[in-house]
Amino acid sequence: HVPRLWAHITRLQGPVSKDAKSDKTYEPPLTNVFTMQWFLTLFATCLPNEVALKVWDLIFLYGAEVLFRVALAIWSSLQSAVLNTHTCDEFYMQMSTSTLEIRQGRHITCEELMKKIHSIPPLSQEKLQEFREE
């Protein structure tokens, strides 16, 4: 759904370095900082209230896979802004600005977001499992 964006964010993050105290090499993707908060709050902290309530309706109607579709729709709407970043710092600054604009209803309208959400086909259980493992 947003492979170009994912490739860009992966490049921004760069190679994972090993921790000197252990052999652990895991570093969470840059997107986790934002996406995890969206999931944990069911988008209440990043969407205008009226939009969040509509998203909750979709979750009750269609289940948890809507969480992924909403997140993909939001990332899709952020793609052009994020693609213009060149460092992790620029990414975080852009995301701070963009998420505030989304919350204030200035980045994407409710109608536009709902169209994006509904344009993403329902995700199969296999695809959901694939997303969870990434």
Side-chain angles (χ1 to χ4, degrees), residues 1 65 68-69 72 120-128 131:
H1 296 276
E65 66 99 13
F68 292 101
R69 289 170 49 200
L72 287 170
I120 299 169
L123 303 167
S124 67
Q125 288 300 317
E126 293 80 25
K127 193 66 174 171
L128 288 174
F131 282 146

Side-chain angles (χ1 to χ4, degrees), residues 78-96:
L78 295 170
Q79 181 166 275
S80 62
V82 172
L83 288 175
N84 286 322
T85 62
H86 304 291
T87 66
C88 288
D89 289 340
E90 286 180 12
F91 169 81
Y92 284 119
M93 288 187 328
Q94 181 59 56
M95 286 300 296
S96 294

